[in-house]
Amino acid sequence: MTEAKHSRFDAFVRNVRHSSRIELSQSALKKNVNFLKKKLGSHPRYSAVVKANAYGHGIPQMVKMLEACGLNHFSVASAYEAEEVLKCSSGSSDIMIMGILYDQDVEWAIQNGIEFYVFNYNRLPLALEKAKALNKKARVHLEVETGTNRTGMTEPFFKKSITFLKRHQEYFQFQGMCTHLGGAESRSNQFRVAQQIGRFKGYLGELKTRKFLPQYLHMACSAAVLAMPETHYDLVRVGVATYGFWPSPDIYYQHIQEKGRGKDAPMNRIISWKTDVMDIKNVPKGDFIGYGTAYQASRNMRVAVIPVGYCNGYPRGQSNNAYVLIGGRRAPVTGMVNMNLFMVDITDIPGVELGDEVVLLGKQKNNTINVSSFTNYTQLINNEMLSRLPAAIPRYIVK
Ligand SMILES: *Cc1c(COP(=O)(O)O)cnc(C)c1O
């Protein structure tokens, strides 16, 4: 192997560095999980929602970290994500697909003991056929329509499904009956949520009449876990709160009304996002920085070049409208966020050098950049900003 011949390949196997990195705090996660478990008491099972690459945090790392917190049920939105979890979870954890499962993947799901939502009666005959061929039970959750009008079957199909499952019990494990609330995080939506709970009880009545109950009844997402104990039932599906974010200001205010503004923050952000100063420039007064005329130097300036752009998940809407941390100080973004670079003003931060750590999200010395620093300036919401962080950014677990 001569070097000249294989230099491109070498670059690949040498594990060259990515332009940024994400750190995930195990101790912050532990606090969140403990706080949420306390809310739940001993009965409901805690399913960690790890769809969207664990809300951008990274499935392989988060599954490992969540298992270290004692959790062993994971909810995802597709068979692809279920496979991601399957590859990195311990054999004893359960995986549940709440979203799309293509016909061609039904066999794979049954074979691997993956639980899946059935929101359309037509899914059942195919599942039966595959379960028979594998001689293995399909683990199904019947999702019912209660008013979100997303997925979920209406009453006639629900009744038909129960009849079908009862008749073929040797090939089905009736894991759950579930629904999803249409906006549990917003106060103004409570009348609708109350209606949904009522309708859910109607479906439950049908199950009781037929003496055919699943292992788990479930409907609660993060907001419902935090603010509506009557929705907890037997299993809860906790996404955003697991990662340390309040689902909405409404839910946060309800918490402080009940508990007061304690010294201990019960929910803690897990994620930090970091990079390094790539280059430093002196810009004469009157010159423009970067593309176009978005930023003109109003004095002689010193700027740092940051090797991250919108292709790396740093929103373009942050152009001229955000800060990063360098040396524990806030450095404002100057000009447009480009595809893979942007510039920040370090004129007032003495001593910055090439290679200095740059915090895009998270803490440095006494300063913090929150996700809300992003979402207040763009039309993004927390979940959207986080879930768009490319899976290719390396993620490391820290204490
Ligand atoms: C995403 C999702 C959840 C989790 O919602 P959070 O508000 O993040 O807790 C729960 N259930 C279903 C069906 C979902 O799609």
Side-chain angles (χ1 to χ4, degrees):
M1 262 207 216
T2 68
E3 224 176 286
K5 241 184 179 169
H6 293 281
S7 55
R8 271 175 68 84
F9 181 67
D10 275 351
F12 207 60
V13 296
R14 273 193 297 113
N15 229 341
V16 298
R17 292 188 63 178
H18 197 277
S19 73
S20 68
R21 57 200 168 273
I22 284 170
E23 292 176 2
L24 302 164
S25 164
Q26 179 75 56
S27 56
L29 176 65
K30 182 86 190 158
K31 284 186 203 161
N32 301 341
V33 171
N34 286 349
F35 169 69
L36 291 158
K37 273 186 178 167
K38 214 169 134 194
K39 279 253 171 225
L40 292 168
S42 59
H43 177 66
R45 190 166 178 195
Y46 186 137
S47 180
V49 179
V50 294
K51 66 188 180 190
N53 199 25
Y55 291 50
H57 290 62
I59 281 183
Q61 294 79 7
M62 282 307 302
V63 166
K64 196 169 157 200
M65 292 166 73
L66 288 159
E67 285 184 339
C69 292
L71 300 185
N72 56 9
H73 196 283
F74 300 102
S75 295
V76 295
S78 66
Y80 175 80
E81 292 173 342
E83 192 177 37
E84 293 285 292
V85 177
L86 189 63
K87 278 191 278 189
C88 60
S89 63
S90 84
S92 56
S93 286
D94 291 311
I95 303 167
M96 176 170 81
I97 302 173
M98 307 181 293
I100 187 156
L101 174 63
Y102 286 96
D103 284 356
Q104 75 214 51
D105 296 326
V106 169
E107 184 177 344
W108 170 86
I110 298 171
Q111 176 79 61
N112 288 285
I114 308 287
E115 304 171 20
F116 55 92
Y117 275 27
V118 173
F119 42 81
N120 187 316
Y121 173 78
N122 295 334
R123 169 49 41 90
L124 290 175
L126 176 70
L128 175 64
E129 180 195 318
K130 298 297 180 190
K132 276 183 175 167
L134 291 163
N135 196 25
K136 208 167 170 199
K137 286 188 179 187
R139 308 174 75 194
V140 298
H141 294 253
L142 295 186
E143 188 189 11
V144 294
E145 177 55 70
T146 57
T148 297
N149 290 306
R150 204 167 76 165
T151 49
M153 52 179 96
T154 51
E155 210 171 325
F157 291 104
F158 175 68
K159 288 181 171 168
K160 232 173 123 178
S161 298
I162 300 172
T163 306
F164 192 94
L165 291 185
K166 266 194 106 166
R167 186 181 306 146
H168 301 290
Q169 280 181 65
E170 70 274 38
Y171 293 111
F172 285 100
Q173 186 144 337
F174 189 17
Q175 281 294 120
M177 179 179 80
C178 53
T179 194
H180 189 52
L181 302 172
E185 54 282 329
S186 132
R187 264 277 157 84
S188 59
N189 213 28
Q190 289 312 301
F191 74 98
R192 198 170 152 211
V193 168
Q195 215 170 38
Q196 289 193 266
I197 296 170
R199 289 185 185 146
F200 191 75
K201 286 179 177 156
Y203 289 96
L204 178 56
E206 181 69 25
L207 292 177
K208 284 180 174 160
T209 309
R210 304 253 206 129
K211 295 195 169 37
F212 191 58
L213 286 167
Q215 186 167 4
Y216 300 108
L217 300 167
H218 55 108
M219 64 162 72
C221 57
S222 295
V225 164
L226 289 163
M228 286 169 246
E230 71 275 23
T231 63
H232 290 178
Y233 286 98
D234 310 308
L235 180 142
V236 295
R237 311 181 302 258
V238 198
V240 71
T242 301
Y243 306 96
F245 296 93
W246 293 95
S248 67
D250 287 6
I251 302 291
Y252 178 58
Y253 293 135
Q254 181 170 339
H255 171 78
I256 38 184
Q257 271 171 355
E258 285 168 12
K259 304 280 181 208
R261 214 185 269 272
K263 273 198 223 91
D264 242 12
M267 298 236 264
N268 300 270
R269 313 295 188 258
I270 299 168
I271 193 167
S272 309
W273 186 20
K274 298 177 177 176
T275 181
D276 313 280
V277 172
M278 173 183 173
D279 206 359
I280 293 174
K281 275 277 159 59
N282 291 310
V283 180
K285 179 177 175 180
D287 266 20
F288 294 98
I289 297 176
Y291 289 127
T293 52
Y295 193 98
Q296 186 174 26
S298 57
R299 54 178 175 163
N300 287 331
M301 287 177 66
R302 216 163 126 77
V303 299
V305 185
I306 311 300
V308 166
Y310 56 79
C311 84
N312 307 108
Y314 199 90
R316 191 167 174 275
Q318 305 282 94
S319 299
N320 270 334
N321 224 345
Y323 296 91
V324 303
L325 300 177
I326 302 176
R329 309 262 305 267
R330 281 150 48 111
V333 173
T334 52
M336 302 304 289
V337 172
N338 303 164
M339 190 181 273
N340 41 28
L341 295 171
F342 64 89
M343 274 69 85
V344 297
D345 180 5
I346 53 166
T347 316
D348 300 321
I349 310 176
V352 178
E353 290 179 13
L354 288 192
D356 278 2
E357 181 191 78
V358 178
V359 167
L360 304 168
L361 187 60
K363 216 172 137 87
Q364 194 185 47
K365 293 192 179 159
N366 293 325
N367 262 318
T368 306
I369 307 274
N370 290 316
V371 179
S372 61
S373 323
F374 286 71
T375 52
N376 288 346
Y377 289 113
T378 59
Q379 291 296 310
L380 300 178
I381 60 167
N382 288 349
N383 287 351
E384 188 179 0
M385 190 266 154
L386 291 168
S387 64
R388 285 178 175 182
L389 291 172
I393 301 175
R395 278 126 167 115
Y396 304 100
I397 301 170
V398 299
K399 193 177 146 294

